Amino acid sequence: MASSKDIEKAAGVLRAGGLVALPTETVYGLAADAMDPAAISRIFQVKGRPPSHPLIVHLAGAEQLDAWVQDVPVAARVLAEHFWPGPLTLVLRRGPRVPLEATGGLETVAVRVPDHPVALALLAAFGGGVTAPSANRFGSVSPTTANDVRAELGDAVDFVLDGGPCQVGVESTIVDVTGEAPTILRPGGVTREDLEAVLGHPLAVPSTSQVRVPGQHPSHYAPRARVVLVEPETVIAEAEAASESGHQVGVFLPAAFADVPVKAHAVVAVPASPAAYAQGLYGFLREFDQQGCDLIIASLPAEQGLGLAIANRLRRAAGPRHTV
């Protein structure tokens, strides 16, 4: 676990325009000074991320919100009060201190307060905000341990803060609060049901949006192996057929079939708990790659609670692969 000396060193790296991998409750982020356009541009270079894809600004507390954004509606204040620190990102109008490099050229900016002691200690020591997309190559599986970051980005990161494994395991929920009614742009660690309970009305989850935010590319969160989604009752048959045709198959075995033997190269029994599944999802995908799988067979969970975020990530992982 990162020490106070590590925190101070990381803060110095940020002040010097460097990049720091920091742990959050969701995934590890690749952080830079949110007011330094050159450092922000380096994030895009290291990740191979298109510069039109906005980044999330991470703050130390909700009290800093007005220093970074404009025109904060009541709904945003309510959500921040209930879910910050936590895996919720709010899209608001950009304030003058946010460079356009961080927003993909947009006049909106995504902001959140992470719920991790190491991230909060770094933000306090640094004394400012950081932009921090996931610390991996664009489109690939997000890292949930410090070793994941080191394995993927190596020396491209100036300093890695180790905060242990991430507890949530999937990225934050992104809610647009710039329109007439809040809208979920990306499901994540805060569930739709929890948001609706706080706001007192249903929230839309549009399949497409005019607001660009992280995680909307058709292929995202993808392992090297190709991911194929099938119905839960056909997972075993599809996996065994693919194995017989010569594929090295990894299988996400649904909890209902956990006791059924399956002939495949690697098998992960899906945890019955959605929280445990979300926490382990990216690690499972990385493990299939490490075991040499070239095909992963999976099914979608029920799209309620954290199942909505898990299904979103699996669909993106199975999407047509991007080219940059």
Side-chain angles (χ1 to χ4, degrees):
M1 185 70 71
S3 65
S4 57
K5 183 178 180 181
D6 293 329
I7 298 293
E8 289 300 328
K9 180 176 180 179
V13 170
L14 291 173
R15 294 188 194 102
L19 302 184
V20 173
L22 84 163
T24 76
E25 77 280 24
T26 58
V27 300
Y28 274 70
L30 184 61
D33 182 349
M35 294 177 63
D36 184 340
I40 292 168
S41 295
R42 192 171 158 219
I43 287 179
F44 287 95
Q45 294 166 3
V46 168
K47 284 179 62 70
R49 182 186 182 101
S52 61
H53 283 238
L55 306 178
I56 295 174
V57 174
H58 292 63
L59 306 176
E63 68 277 2
Q64 298 181 356
L65 190 60
D66 291 291
W68 292 85
V69 302
Q70 304 179 69
D71 304 331
V72 182
V74 172
R77 305 265 186 211
V78 170
L79 291 173
E81 178 183 351
H82 279 82
F83 296 109
W84 283 359
L88 175 68
T89 294
L90 300 176
V91 176
L92 292 148
R93 286 191 60 204
R94 177 182 73 94
R97 72 162 54 184
V98 180
L100 288 170
E101 285 84 357
T103 69
L106 300 176
E107 289 301 325
T108 55
V109 61
V111 293
R112 89 176 186 98
V113 178
D115 188 15
H116 194 290
V118 173
L120 292 173
L122 174 60
L123 287 161
F126 176 56
V130 301
T131 51
S134 57
N136 56 279
R137 304 293 181 188
F138 178 69
S140 67
V141 179
S142 300
T144 54
T145 69
N147 285 338
D148 291 344
V149 178
R150 296 186 183 102
E152 179 139 351
L153 296 182
D155 294 339
V157 183
D158 298 309
F159 193 69
V160 178
L161 279 173
D162 191 341
C166 300
Q167 294 303 301
V168 175
V170 293
E171 291 79 0
S172 60
T173 303
I174 300 179
V175 177
D176 178 17
V177 287
T178 62
E180 293 184 4
T183 302
I184 297 175
L185 302 183
R186 179 182 73 181
V190 173
T191 68
R192 178 181 187 173
E193 293 84 351
D194 285 344
L195 292 168
E196 291 176 342
V198 166
L199 292 175
H201 59 77
L203 289 184
V205 187
S207 56
T208 59
S209 171
Q210 296 302 109
V211 181
R212 295 200 307 273
V213 294
Q216 286 185 318
H217 198 280
S219 174
H220 222 86
Y221 321 110
R224 291 190 302 273
R226 184 166 62 93
V227 178
V228 174
L229 301 177
V230 301
E231 294 300 318
E233 60 271 14
T234 67
V235 164
I236 294 174
E238 295 280 358
E240 293 186 341
S243 295
E244 290 174 3
S245 66
H247 287 287
Q248 297 288 91
V249 178
V251 183
F252 278 112
L253 192 61
F257 302 96
D259 296 328
V260 179
V262 53
K263 297 177 182 177
H265 183 67
V267 178
V268 165
V270 172
S273 160
Y277 191 8
Q279 184 183 26
L281 177 61
Y282 292 147
F284 298 149
L285 291 172
R286 287 179 178 273
E287 180 64 23
F288 283 142
D289 275 346
Q290 291 165 6
Q291 294 197 34
C293 297
D294 65 350
L295 183 68
I296 297 170
I297 303 293
S299 60
L300 299 178
E303 296 187 44
Q304 57 194 27
L306 281 173
L308 182 63
I310 297 167
N312 172 271
R313 302 310 189 271
L314 287 172
R315 284 196 181 95
R316 300 286 182 181
R321 298 300 169 100
H322 73 276
T323 57
V324 177

